[in-house]
């Protein structure tokens, strides 16, 4: 049976509840328990790794208020398919079955290889299950977390600014500023969407970047990316990065997949690579760039300072083809957004 209007209404509430939880290693999930007559019995949401999942949170609240049998015959409306595995907590599917829930309505199917299968387990126990209710809204809520599940690592955006002749700096190494204020404001806005921002020690020592996400008036965005420095050279004590709201992480950079795994464990969903040509080329060459942001300035620099270095292209048949997704005018500059062909 399809979801009722009341269940769709409860799903909208569950989506709002989910946003109360932190974005991190685990997904943001909300749950609403309804009586057979459609009354709200209890609400719950996930508060972070190691805490009760949304369904269990709601069931616990209900049991504390109205007794252990209060969920018998109830409907659980959940933003994500109830999990079916034991991690730091037990399977939500089993908790719902044990509580006597008669019906489960969820928005998004769980893509996890270990955690998926909750809907099937519930059906096998005689629970009525309906999936895909307000799925678009659920996907929007869980967009970055779902991307991590599908890629197996954080999503990586590689950004650089260049002249029309492909240079990232003048012959003496100066690069501030190739692009104008509108383009730089766009970069900071995109930084604020990321969970980590990565630069090389070369950029750190040459430009002394703060690596914060700032509005045009200089104030900080609420969400700041964790700064990550790639390279073995020491970070100076007076470097601006040491005054970042979040502690910086330094890595030698000899194993980029391992670095991304560690950032994922820290809760990073989106990584913004903003280093120089060497670092940008390393991520592209390793096949770890999911999105390219290329800011094109209407200027010519000439000289040897190319925007990218060795990409592992020895012959034309090895070229790395891209799909351009958008081209945007930012003041006098252009932003070209592209993805490598074959990117999931």
């Amino acid at each position: 049976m399809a979801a009722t209007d009341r269940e769709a209404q409860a799903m909208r509430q569950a989506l709002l509840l989910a946003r109360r939880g932190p974005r991190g290693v685990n997904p943001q999930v909300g749950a609403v328990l309804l009586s057979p007559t459609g009354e709200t019995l209890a609400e719950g949401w996930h508060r972070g790794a190691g805490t009760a999942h949304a369904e269990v949170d709601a069931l616990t609240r209900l049991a504390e208020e109205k007794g252990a049998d209060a969920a018998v015959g109830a409907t659980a409306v959940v933003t994500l398919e109830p999990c079916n595995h034991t991690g730091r907590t037990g399977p939500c599917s089993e908790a719902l079955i044990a509580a006597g829930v008669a019906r489960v309505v969820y928005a998004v199917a769980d893509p996890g290889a270990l955690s998926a299968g909750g809907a099937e387990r519930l059906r096998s126990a005689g629970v009525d299950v309906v999936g895909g209710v307000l799925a678009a809204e659920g996907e929007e809520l869980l967009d970055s977390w779902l991307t991590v599940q599908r890629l197996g690592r954080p999503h990586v955006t590689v950004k650089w600014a260049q002249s029309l002749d492909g240079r990232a700096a003048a012959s003496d190494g100066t690069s501030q500023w190739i692009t104008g204020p509108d383009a730089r404001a766009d970069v900071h806005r995109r930084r604020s969407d990321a969970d980590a921002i990565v630069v090389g020690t070369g950029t750190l020592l040459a430009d002394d970047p703060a690596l914060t996400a700032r509005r045009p008036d200089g104030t900080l965005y609420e969400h700041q990316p964790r700064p990550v420095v790639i390279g073995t050279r020491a970070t100076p004590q007076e470097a601006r990065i040491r005054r970042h709201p979040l502690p910086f992480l330094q890595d030698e950079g000899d194993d980029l997949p391992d670095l991304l795994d560690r950032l994922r464990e820290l809760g990073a969903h989106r990584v913004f690579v903003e280093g120089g040509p060497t670092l940008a080329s390393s991520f592209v060459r390793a096949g770890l760039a999911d999105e390219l942001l290329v800011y094109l300035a209407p200027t010519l620099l000439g000289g040897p300072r190319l925007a990218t270095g060795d990409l592992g292209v020895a012959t034309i048949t090895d070229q790395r083809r891209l799909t351009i997704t958008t081209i945007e005018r930012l003041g006098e500059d252009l932003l070209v957004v592209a993805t490598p062909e074959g990117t999931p």
Side-chain angles (χ1 to χ4, degrees), residues 140-186:
E140 181 181 4
L141 168 71
L142 296 173
D143 174 56
S144 61
W145 180 82
L146 289 170
T147 297
V148 171
Q149 308 313 304
R150 291 160 182 163
L151 290 175
R153 55 167 175 78
H155 179 276
V156 176
T157 294
V158 176
K159 166 264 175 184
W160 68 77
Q162 67 173 64
S163 62
L164 282 183
D165 56 346
R167 269 61 183 179
S171 294
D172 65 354
T174 55
S175 60
Q176 297 181 343
W177 298 101
I178 292 177
T179 55
D182 290 349
R184 296 198 296 273
D186 186 75

Side-chain angles (χ1 to χ4, degrees), residues 59 82-86 90-100 118 121-122 125:
L59 289 171
C83 66
N84 194 45
H85 81 300
T86 300
C92 292
S93 56
E94 298 296 342
L96 291 167
I97 292 168
R121 173 68 186 100
L122 288 162

Side-chain angles (χ1 to χ4, degrees), residues 28 38 110 164 166 183 227 231 247 321:
Q28 294 171 294
D110 191 328
L164 282 183
R321 301 291 302 179

Side-chain angles (χ1 to χ4, degrees), residues 263-278:
L263 289 175
R264 178 187 181 183
E265 291 172 359
L266 291 172
H269 294 174
R270 297 191 179 278
V271 174
F272 197 78
V273 178
E274 201 174 336
T278 300

Side-chain angles (χ1 to χ4, degrees), residues 85-109:
H85 81 300
T86 300
R88 296 185 184 182
T89 60
C92 292
S93 56
E94 298 296 342
L96 291 167
I97 292 168
V101 168
R103 181 172 163 88
V104 172
V105 177
Y106 67 88
V108 179

